[in-house]
Amino acid sequence: MNSISLKNIRYKYPLTDHYALDGVSFDFEEGKFYGIIGPNGSGKSTICNLMKGLIPSFYLGDLEGTVEVQGKPVDEWEPEKLCTKVGYIFQNPFTQISGIRDTVFEEIAIGLENLGIDKEQMIQKAEEITKRIGIYDLIEKNPNELSGGQRQRVAFASILAMDTDIYVIDEPTSQLDPDGTESVFKIIRSLKEQKKTVILVEHKIELMAKYADEIIVLKDGKIIKSGPAREVLSDYDLVNKKVAVPQTVLFGHEMERAGKSLGKLPITIDEAEVCVRERMRGEQL
Amino acid sequence: MNSKEKFINSFRNAKLHGNFILDLNPFTKLNCAFAIFLGAALLGHYWTRLAVIIICYVINALSGKENFKRFVKLYSFVAFLFFFFLIGLNTCFRPGETLYWEWGIIGITKEGFFYGLSMALLINEICGSIMSFYMVTPMKDIMYSVERLGAPRAASYIMLASMQSIIDLGKSANTIMESQSARGVETSGNLKTRAKAFVPILFPLFLGAIAGTEEKTVAMETRAFSANRKPTHMYELRKTPALEKVFCVFLDLVVIISVVWRFLP
């Protein structure tokens, strides 16, 4: 079964004539890691809001087409049920903290409280999640006094505690330093290992190349390319369409143009290192 | 058991602050605050009003050193202002039969002094009671109790989040002011200079806060805030002991009887 299906989606925000999404159809399969890339204003965050059901219930506007979560139209899900299916984490670590709890431990339990989970279960879940994510040392701290990276990890923990099947993650590292980015990607990596469906919007294309199974490229509200990460990111045509590709792909193309082909186009730094080593070894031979 | 385990374990039982006053049920405290200040206000004696002010200091002292320090710092200032202005204005401008000194429109009268004193004591006892209630009752205890009574979670969220928003706005304002200062804008000095630096940041400050509200709503939505289930609580207060209830009823009766007796012909 597909985790999420977008069927002929056309959507424009209120008071605009421009379609933020225009004829988008895509099936997100269960247990896969999807990366969504594209220039600013291409509709990436709008897709996230659709999948979480925030469009059209929270953000009004004109919506055509249907969004299905596990085979059921998103507007037919009860809010609490949908929250246990689709988890949503977004970019701003400061606004994702509720501001109504004194400790990280209580902050993580808010979603569980809203779902009416038994107290003992809540305690066990929150303890397990904090240990898993590596924020156990922070449990007594005030979430409103944490750094951006720590807050983002608390936001992840709050959603992970709800044990959803699908995670929609919208630019989680855009406001974080390298250490914060690394810790957030560690969490995302663990979700992939647990075979959860992950839909990640991210500008850090090198990290996308490393983790994503499939990549979807959006531009002007349309999907212009999708498929396995290697196939999509190797397409040099994306550069002409002003879509970022990994530096290693550009490097590979430059090498090819200079008549010193690396054999295959590396999409990650590790691959590039291997390609360059092999090529240097070949030249020495 | 290490400190983290102890902390987690503390949620398994009702939360206790380890202080007799702080551990009273928020409604007990609210009841006491209202009974005391209403009683003293209606009885109308200087001494009962003064007694309420002293009781406020005592209650805060019993609730802990830190609380007492905060209360003294805040309340003493407010109380002084009310005494100073109410007694001063009434003494100088309120007409009366016993005139001590007169100059132009100013006339110092005995009646004015006592009326001002009575007003100042009344307002200070009301302020003291309300302030004491908030000093010895954490906001989340109040919200928990209100929710248990059946108030919607949104109401308690708005209250608690508003308190935090004030702190956040202060922090944001400081950050912007520091950035401005780093860019060479004069942010310190006399009142005019400070105002000149501060007023222009108000617009981006509030605009940012409004934008943040939308994201915060989305964040809460993702945590099932609009779920139609009865929420549970990780943080729970103990059940109100019978003695506390009896004390409340007793206090209310004493106040009612005193007031009725006072107004009986």
Side-chain angles (χ1 to χ4, degrees), chain B residues 10-198:
Chain B
S10 70
F11 288 100
R12 292 198 161 93
N13 304 311
K15 268 282 178 214
L16 287 173
H17 301 283
N19 177 289
F20 161 70
I21 300 283
L22 299 180
D23 285 335
L24 288 172
N25 185 283
F27 288 125
T28 306
K29 291 184 237 184
L30 190 67
N31 182 89
C32 291
F34 267 99
I36 288 171
F37 91 65
L38 271 180
L42 291 171
L43 284 172
H45 301 302
Y46 297 114
W47 295 113
T48 49
R49 290 177 185 175
L50 185 64
V52 170
I53 294 172
I54 294 167
I55 288 170
C56 290
Y57 276 102
V58 172
I59 286 172
N60 279 280
L62 289 174
S63 72
K65 206 173 160 186
E66 281 306 308
N67 248 2
F68 184 58
K69 271 188 195 169
R70 276 196 308 147
F71 178 77
V72 168
K73 203 174 153 188
L74 261 172
Y75 180 65
S76 301
F77 177 70
V78 174
F80 172 77
L81 279 184
F82 279 127
F83 273 121
F84 184 79
F85 282 108
L86 288 171
I87 295 176
L89 287 174
N90 280 291
T91 307
C92 295
F93 297 104
R94 195 172 182 84
E97 284 173 9
T98 323
L99 187 69
Y100 291 122
W101 186 73
E102 195 177 17
W103 186 69
I105 56 162
I106 301 170
I108 294 177
T109 61
K110 184 183 170 185
E111 289 79 8
F113 171 78
F114 281 106
Y115 183 79
L117 180 66
S118 170
M119 284 296 288
L121 283 170
L122 174 68
I123 290 176
N124 278 328
E125 63 128 334
I126 293 173
C127 280
S129 310
I130 295 171
M131 215 182 263
S132 298
F133 169 69
Y134 282 107
M135 285 283 180
V136 299
T137 319
M139 189 50 92
K140 71 176 186 180
D141 287 10
I142 302 173
M143 290 306 134
Y144 169 80
S145 308
V146 171
E147 258 185 60
R148 290 297 293 232
L149 271 189
R153 196 151 229 214
S156 64
Y157 178 79
I158 290 166
M159 278 296 288
L160 289 170
S162 305
M163 305 292 277
Q164 185 57 40
S165 299
I166 296 166
I167 299 168
D168 289 345
L169 271 179
K171 279 185 190 167
S172 304
N174 274 340
T175 310
I176 301 174
M177 288 293 268
E178 279 168 19
S179 320
Q180 293 290 76
S181 169
R183 290 180 191 122
V185 176
E186 197 62 64
T187 56
S188 55
N190 60 32
L191 198 66
K192 195 182 165 192
T193 316
R194 286 182 193 200
K196 225 171 130 185
F198 189 70

Side-chain angles (χ1 to χ4, degrees), chain A residues 2-38:
Chain A
N2 291 323
S3 283
I4 295 181
S5 295
L6 306 175
K7 292 177 180 170
N8 301 316
I9 299 294
R10 292 189 90 209
Y11 174 73
K12 60 181 176 189
Y13 284 99
L15 308 174
T16 59
D17 295 327
H18 170 77
Y19 278 95
L21 290 175
D22 193 359
V24 170
S25 294
F26 196 85
D27 291 329
F28 293 90
E29 287 172 35
E30 215 171 86
K32 272 193 173 179
F33 188 129
Y34 292 89
I36 302 180
I37 60 170

Side-chain angles (χ1 to χ4, degrees), chain B residues 206-255:
Chain B
F206 285 110
L207 215 61
I210 292 165
T213 308
E214 184 183 299
E215 286 186 6
K216 198 151 259 188
T217 313
V218 172
M220 293 314 290
E221 276 303 309
T222 60
R223 297 196 211 169
F225 196 68
S226 39
N228 295 321
R229 292 182 195 173
K230 193 179 175 216
T232 45
H233 298 86
M234 171 89 98
Y235 176 92
E236 281 185 322
L237 296 176
R238 66 174 178 178
K239 279 188 180 163
T240 314
L243 195 65
E244 259 183 62
K245 291 178 186 167
V246 171
F247 176 73
C248 281
V249 173
F250 174 73
L251 184 71
D252 292 347
L253 281 175
V254 168
V255 169

Side-chain angles (χ1 to χ4, degrees), chain A residues 125-169:
Chain A
K125 194 82 200 168
E127 187 178 2
E128 181 223 315
I129 293 292
T130 50
K131 282 180 178 165
R132 182 159 28 117
I133 288 193
I135 54 169
Y136 188 64
D137 286 344
L138 304 177
I139 56 171
E140 288 173 87
K141 294 210 166 154
N142 187 333
N144 301 301
E145 287 164 9
L146 300 177
S147 70
Q150 288 172 328
R151 285 188 201 215
Q152 193 63 292
R153 281 194 283 164
V154 172
F156 263 94
S158 310
I159 300 299
L160 289 180
M162 295 169 81
D163 204 16
T164 56
D165 303 327
I166 306 158
Y167 290 87
V168 179
I169 310 168

Side-chain angles (χ1 to χ4, degrees), chain A residues 54 58-59 80 83 90 92 95-99 102 106-107 109 113-115 117 119-120 140, chain B residues 4 7 11-12 140 153 157 164 214-218 221 223-224 228-229 231-234 236:
Chain A
L54 294 167
F58 185 75
Y59 297 103
E80 62 262 38
C83 284
F90 50 95
N92 191 342
T95 49
Q96 287 184 87
I97 298 297
S98 70
D102 299 338
E106 290 166 88
E107 175 74 25
E113 286 181 333
N114 290 334
L115 291 171
I117 306 289
K119 186 156 115 169
E120 185 55 38
E140 288 173 87
Chain B
K4 297 271 183 285
F7 169 74
F11 288 100
R12 292 198 161 93
K140 71 176 186 180
R153 196 151 229 214
Y157 178 79
Q164 185 57 40
E214 184 183 299
E215 286 186 6
K216 198 151 259 188
T217 313
V218 172
E221 276 303 309
R223 297 196 211 169
N228 295 321
R229 292 182 195 173
T232 45
H233 298 86
M234 171 89 98
E236 281 185 322

